[in-house]
Amino acid sequence: MRRSDVTRHDGRWVGLSLDVQDRHQPGLCVFSAGPRLLVSQQSRAVLLADVDERLAGVEFWRTGEYRSFVPPLRADVGRVLAGSPQRWAHRFAQYLVDSPDSPLHEGRWLLSCESPLQRRCRAGTSHAEYWGSMLVEGHPDGYIDWFFHAGSWEVLPLRPMPGPGDSSVKAYRRQAREGTLPPVLLWWVSGLDCHLILDGHARLAAAIAESIEPPLLQLHRTVPRDDLAARIDDAVGFYEDELARFAGLRAVHGPAVPDGAATAGPQLVRLLHDLNTAAQLTWAWPLPGGEARWRRVAQEVTAGQDWPRT
C-alpha cells in the first residue's frame, strides 16, 4: 500500500490517501442481495440491513459479532500522540493494512480528520446533545431514518454503546478532560448512508459524557486510480476552456473584462482537491445465494424472530 498526505492549498493537513493494491475482497465486507445488505467480518455476520421499499430508511439487526481490528490503545500512547491527527492517522492506517478484518480493498481511500458530522453541530447545541442525537439507537434491531436525517450521515455503532459508568469509558473520560483522547475510527457506508464505528465505541461514549467534540478519523473510498488521470484531464480542460471563454470576451469588449484566472483558478484547485477527498460509493459484493441466503442468515442470527418487519 502507498500512503501520502493530503493537504489543502494553504498547506493544512486533511488526511492520508491510501492506495491499496492486491486486496481483492476485504475481511470486513458489504454483501448485497437486492435491497438487502449483509456486513460480514470473515465468516461472521455482523450487520443485516433491509432497505425500506419507499427508500425512506433501513431496518437493521446487529449480531454482536463485530470485533475491532485495532489493539487496545494505551494511555501513554494517547499522551504522546495528543493533538496530532496526522500521527494518529498513520498509526490507524497501519492497523487497517495489517489486519485481515478491516474493510480495505484495492482502490484509493481517504483516512481524514475532517467529517461532515463535525460541520453539522449548530451553535448553542452542546457536544453531548449533538453527538448523542447522531447515534442510531436500537439493539439488536433498529431503524436508520433517511427521511428525518436526510444527508446527516448518522453514526451506527457495531455493538451497544457502553454507559458513562463503564470502566473503559471512565478511563477515557479522564483522557478526554486531559485532551489526550485517541480518535474514533468511522467508516462511511453509502448503502446505509451512515457511518459505522470501526473502533472507539467507549471513546465516543466518553466524549459525549464529557460534552467535548470527539476526535475523529473517517475512512471512505475516493476516486479510483484508473479514473484519476481522466478526471485530472477533465479538470484542467475545464480550466483552459474558461480562460479561452474569457479571452474571447476580452477580444470583443476590451481589457475591462477580467482574464478569468481569478474565477477559474480556485475552481480548478477545488476540483483537484475533491479528487483526493470526495467520498465515492462503497463497494458491495453480490451475496452468494442471493436473497434466499440473506433470509437464511437473518433466520439464524435472529433466532427465528419476526424480522425484518416489512
Side-chain angles (χ1 to χ4, degrees):
M1 182 199 71
R2 295 194 301 268
R3 67 177 84 167
S4 56
D5 291 306
V6 177
T7 59
R8 296 195 179 277
H9 67 279
D10 58 2
R12 182 160 52 92
W13 187 83
V14 173
L16 278 182
S17 176
L18 310 177
D19 194 345
V20 181
Q21 301 180 28
D22 300 324
R23 195 164 181 170
H24 303 300
Q25 185 170 309
L28 184 62
C29 188
V30 181
F31 292 99
S32 65
R36 297 173 176 87
L37 299 176
L38 167 65
V39 180
S40 176
Q41 192 173 36
Q42 302 296 346
S43 60
R44 304 187 306 275
V46 168
L47 181 77
L48 290 111
D50 184 33
V51 177
D52 190 318
E53 64 180 10
R54 299 167 299 169
L55 303 181
V58 185
E59 285 190 74
F60 68 85
W61 185 286
R62 290 184 302 207
T63 68
E65 290 297 315
Y66 175 71
R67 300 293 180 268
S68 174
F69 50 86
V70 177
L73 300 174
R74 294 164 51 93
D76 57 347
V77 175
R79 286 190 288 271
V80 170
L81 302 183
S84 179
Q86 185 174 4
R87 294 176 68 188
W88 274 119
H90 278 278
R91 179 175 285 260
F92 275 92
Q94 200 61 52
Y95 297 144
L96 285 160
V97 171
D98 289 345
S99 175
D101 288 339
S102 89
L104 287 189
H105 57 75
E106 60 186 5
R108 294 176 68 248
W109 299 75
L110 180 70
L111 185 59
S112 176
C113 64
E114 296 183 353
S115 169
L117 291 166
Q118 296 161 321
R119 298 192 293 268
R120 295 181 179 274
C121 185
R122 297 176 180 175
T125 302
S126 71
H127 288 301
E129 180 183 356
Y130 170 71
W131 289 100
S133 72
M134 295 308 294
L135 287 172
V136 180
E137 298 180 348
H139 184 77
D141 61 328
Y143 188 73
I144 304 169
D145 193 330
W146 288 350
F147 181 79
F148 184 73
H149 288 281
S152 62
W153 293 8
E154 293 176 285
V155 177
L156 176 61
L158 285 175
R159 60 180 178 83
M161 291 291 291
D166 178 88
S167 58
S168 296
V169 175
K170 286 182 178 178
Y172 282 129
R173 290 183 69 172
R174 188 179 309 112
Q175 290 183 256
R177 293 191 295 270
E178 295 172 351
T180 62
L181 188 67
V184 179
L185 181 61
L186 303 177
W187 174 32
W188 181 65
V189 177
S190 62
L192 300 172
D193 195 26
C194 74
H195 299 80
L196 301 183
I197 302 178
L198 295 179
D199 187 73
H201 293 75
R203 297 195 294 278
L204 181 55
I208 292 173
E210 293 296 322
S211 195
I212 68 164
E213 182 173 68
L216 300 177
L217 284 174
Q218 176 179 309
L219 179 72
H220 61 250
R221 289 184 60 246
T222 56
V223 175
R225 72 179 74 87
D226 294 343
D227 296 342
L228 189 58
R231 299 279 192 97
I232 291 175
D233 288 344
D234 288 344
V236 173
F238 169 81
Y239 173 76
E240 293 173 342
D241 289 345
E242 280 295 280
L243 294 187
R245 183 171 70 87
F246 273 92
L249 292 173
R250 284 169 65 89
V252 174
H253 300 288
V257 176
D259 62 9
T263 301
Q267 288 179 309
L268 176 61
V269 170
R270 285 194 297 271
L271 288 171
L272 294 177
H273 179 73
D274 286 347
L275 293 179
N276 280 324
T277 60
Q280 301 293 298
L281 297 178
T282 307
W283 276 5
W285 277 255
L287 180 65
E291 291 194 33
R293 167 74 182 286
W294 187 92
R295 292 191 179 279
R296 286 197 300 273
V297 174
Q299 283 285 314
E300 293 171 3
V301 303
T302 64
Q305 297 187 46
D306 184 21
W307 185 91
R309 297 181 177 84
T310 55

